[in-house]
Amino acid sequence: MSSNPDSKIALVGSPNSGKSLLFNRLTGLNQKVANFPGITVDIASGQSVDASADSSSVQYLDFPGVYSLQAISGEEKIAIQGFINALEENLLDAVVCVVDSTRLEKGLIFALQVLETCHKYNVPVLIAANMIDVLDQHSMQFKDQGLSEALSVKVLPISAKTGTGLNELRNALADASVPPAKFQTDIIASDESINHLHAQQLAQKYGPKGELLINTQTRLDSFFLHSWLGGLSFFIIMYLLFQSIFTWAAPVMDAVEAMIQWLASVVVPVIPAGVASDFTSDALFGGIGAFLVFVPQIFVLTLVIGILEDSGYLARAAVICHKPLRFFGLTGKSFIPMLSGVACAIPGIYAARTVDSTRKRWLTYLAIPLMPCSARLPVYSLIISAFIPAQKAMGGLLGWQGLAMFAIYLFGILCALLVTALVSRSSEELRTDLPFVLEMPPYRLPSWRPLITHGLHRSQQFVTKAGKVIFAVTVIIWILGYFPNYGASLGDSWLGTMGQWIEPVFAPFGLDWRYGVAILSSFLAREVFVGTLGTMFGIDGAGENFTSLAQQIQESGLPLGAGAALLVFFAIALQCVSTLAVLQRETGSWRLPAQLFISYSIFAYAAALGMFHLVEFLV
Amino acid sequence: MTLWDLTQGTSAKVSRFKSSIESGYRTRLSELGFHPGEQIACVMSPGMGAPKLYRVNNTVYSLDDSIASLIEVA
């Protein structure tokens, strides 16, 4: 490969071969490294961070990890097709095949397929034998020279973790001109079993001898997968996840809220009284400010899910959940997409590609929009703070607000399971099980920097993507609510008039027209609810001191039953345009998104009505 | 005897795949190391029908009964 200015290097390898970590090392780009098989669904790219001038323009492409070039799941098909297309279109200057040198045979089975394919397309390839540091620790030998001669390609021992061998790898890339002709005759056989035999022979001849001790992994597994301790620890971990959203984020949320209030108290008096001042106070600080308060929670949620992923626990959680999820028509592999759905339905829908059965994947799609996503969090948080006191129970161990949050999250998850259980029982085809095969990654301490960067990135995305919609909706709501009487009375404004029309729809569960307007606007994106409500309360309370939206809701005299109905409505309704669009893209038709949107709206309305009457009856 | 019959802490060699196994899974299992002649250890059997953990070379996989019972061991 010459050092042409637009060199593109593809990184390919099996899940858990350390490929993404190597990519991070080579590019300095903090692409998230997930410790779960096949989590990298999109192809990440990054420029080389090598100090030497001539290779500064090298671009690395991180292809999703696959076990083989023969796909058995939808996700693999997409990843493999992406790689083959790049080869066909002559986009790649070289391919780095990453193998785990501690598990050489498995890596070589894949590497032999890659060599064969690269030979076909005449693209240079080299093998990066990763995790050499682990072999060094155990004083194990790896004969890279011998393997290199046997395969007629360069084999470089590296450690993506410590950085060993990375300079050699970069240098080898700079002048890699691989003569691939030999592969076809000597090494590669078209018959898969001969391919395995070759890999086995090569691994035995050149790979490390003896078994690596994975006692720590076994010890931890015997705890986390224990018949009852495993289940118990699963519930504790999930509970802590939801508590952390409140307890860890609370001080930062308070700080953001205080900052917004302080900023409003400084900025608003400077602007001459009138339309501009009212707009700044109601729409900017009232509407957008109310939404910004929840950003720390999004960050904490992403961080905690990231920690679970990186530590290797998520794969164990999938094992624990497999049997119970089977009862609900799903598989253990549905757990990861569903948990990702707790952060956001969109990555959850993408992650559902890892579910190899088409039918189970379809059922997983039904479940994901009901998972309590982070866009629901501001709404839940607002309603809970308005009704549940911030008191602690059991000597400060449990917070009532956290407990309420746990309950509403559990409600969403139960709804998801109920739907899949019912739908899967509707046809014999959907009931059929497919095999469950999942690699258990080693346990490891999460790397904090990429996790924090990922959390910040998601929070930033939340602000910029949802923020644009919220800003637009807030401005429209403010204009409609402010005119024609210049904020004198919200009830007599254009918005008030429109609100009266829709009031009958939401009145049956105790909500006045303002909540009706906020719910309608939230069909664009759920978070809009908070901004819309903030703007309307801002107009209504013009001239008063800045108080938190939760406090304003409290003071507005919203009945408890209506609050509970709101929670239930938001837990079920599919108010997210992006989710519908991604579902359409993944399924190739509008049929499923349209069906889900209509049925979940009806389900949400009926359940909210039921909840309102239940609470009114009990209280 | 099938792989699913292995109890925690025991190991055996794969003898063959049952004919009812889908070819895609057969190939994949072979690629992961579950091929005839390979020594497989059952490292964890959580019970209550949960998938069991099997060690092949230096990798641990989790397989449920629907697939582990299609791999014959001796």
Side-chain angles (χ1 to χ4, degrees), chain A residues 82-103:
Chain A
F83 178 54
I84 302 289
N85 286 352
L87 288 171
E88 263 175 5
E89 288 165 26
N90 212 13
L91 296 176
L92 303 175
D93 295 273
V95 172
V96 174
C97 180
V98 187
V99 298
D100 177 353
S101 59
T102 65
R103 296 178 283 183

Side-chain angles (χ1 to χ4, degrees), chain A residues 67-72 76 102-103 105-106 109 113 192 196 200 210-214 217-218 221-223 225-228 316 319-320 322-323 326 356-357 433-441, chain B residues 8 21-39 43-68 70:
Chain A
Y67 287 109
S68 162
L69 291 181
Q70 290 181 321
I72 56 166
E76 285 182 345
T102 65
R103 296 178 283 183
E105 184 186 324
K106 192 182 84 170
I109 291 173
Q113 295 176 346
E192 276 305 312
H196 296 156
Q200 202 173 22
E211 291 203 329
L212 272 173
L213 290 172
I214 38 178
Q217 183 174 342
T218 312
D221 276 340
S222 58
F223 175 78
L225 295 174
H226 187 268
S227 51
W228 63 270
R316 275 74 190 181
V319 173
I320 289 179
H322 180 62
K323 180 88 184 187
R326 252 165 90 170
D356 31 22
S357 146
D433 272 329
L434 266 181
F436 178 85
V437 181
L438 190 64
E439 183 179 339
M440 297 288 104
Chain B
Q8 190 168 320
I21 194 167
E22 203 192 303
S23 70
Y25 275 93
R26 186 198 175 112
T27 310
R28 176 54 50 88
L29 285 168
S30 295
E31 284 163 350
L32 297 179
F34 294 85
H35 46 72
E38 194 68 52
Q39 186 84 14
V43 290
M44 185 78 207
S45 173
M48 299 202 290
K52 292 181 182 178
L53 265 54
Y54 298 96
R55 179 173 169 176
V56 192
N57 296 321
N58 286 313
T59 316
V60 178
Y61 296 98
S62 167
L63 272 67
D64 73 348
D65 54 346
S66 71
I67 188 89
L70 296 178

Side-chain angles (χ1 to χ4, degrees), chain A residues 286-340:
Chain A
I288 298 172
F291 146 81
L292 284 179
V293 170
F294 298 100
V295 175
Q297 286 189 329
I298 308 295
F299 174 76
V300 171
L301 180 71
T302 319
L303 188 72
V304 175
I305 292 183
I307 293 170
L308 290 181
E309 245 173 44
D310 255 20
S311 63
Y313 181 72
L314 276 196
R316 275 74 190 181
V319 173
I320 289 179
C321 291
H322 180 62
K323 180 88 184 187
L325 283 178
R326 252 165 90 170
F327 176 78
F328 296 103
L330 298 161
T331 136
K333 290 187 180 178
S334 307
F335 178 74
I336 308 299
M338 285 169 74
L339 190 72
S340 306

Side-chain angles (χ1 to χ4, degrees), chain A residues 216-294:
Chain A
T216 330
Q217 183 174 342
T218 312
R219 262 203 307 275
L220 286 170
D221 276 340
S222 58
F223 175 78
F224 284 117
L225 295 174
H226 187 268
S227 51
W228 63 270
L229 275 177
L232 184 71
S233 53
F234 173 79
F235 275 105
I236 293 174
I237 289 169
M238 291 301 129
Y239 178 71
L240 287 177
L241 191 152
F242 298 117
Q243 271 293 341
S244 68
I245 298 169
F246 255 105
T247 45
W248 294 5
V252 192
M253 286 173 74
D254 289 346
V256 173
E257 193 166 0
M259 209 172 73
I260 292 168
Q261 286 178 7
W262 173 81
L263 208 62
S265 67
V266 170
V267 173
V268 177
V270 178
I271 306 169
V275 178
S277 163
D278 287 346
F279 175 78
T280 314
S281 156
D282 310 334
L284 292 186
F285 288 109
I288 298 172
F291 146 81
L292 284 179
V293 170
F294 298 100

Side-chain angles (χ1 to χ4, degrees), chain A residues 99-102 104 108 127-130 132 135-136 139-148 155-158 202-203 205-209:
Chain A
V99 298
D100 177 353
S101 59
T102 65
L104 197 60
L108 282 176
I127 293 174
N130 196 13
I132 213 74
L135 293 186
D136 287 346
S139 311
M140 284 179 166
Q141 291 263 312
F142 169 55
K143 296 168 187 155
D144 55 293
Q145 280 301 331
L147 184 64
S148 177
V155 177
L156 293 129
I158 63 150
L202 289 169
K205 198 167 174 189
Y206 305 110
K209 304 277 181 295

Side-chain angles (χ1 to χ4, degrees), chain A residues 458-476:
Chain A
R458 270 214 64 82
S459 312
Q460 189 197 347
Q461 256 188 336
F462 181 74
V463 174
T464 49
K465 282 197 176 165
K468 279 181 203 153
V469 182
I470 289 168
F471 182 73
V473 174
T474 303
V475 170
I476 295 168

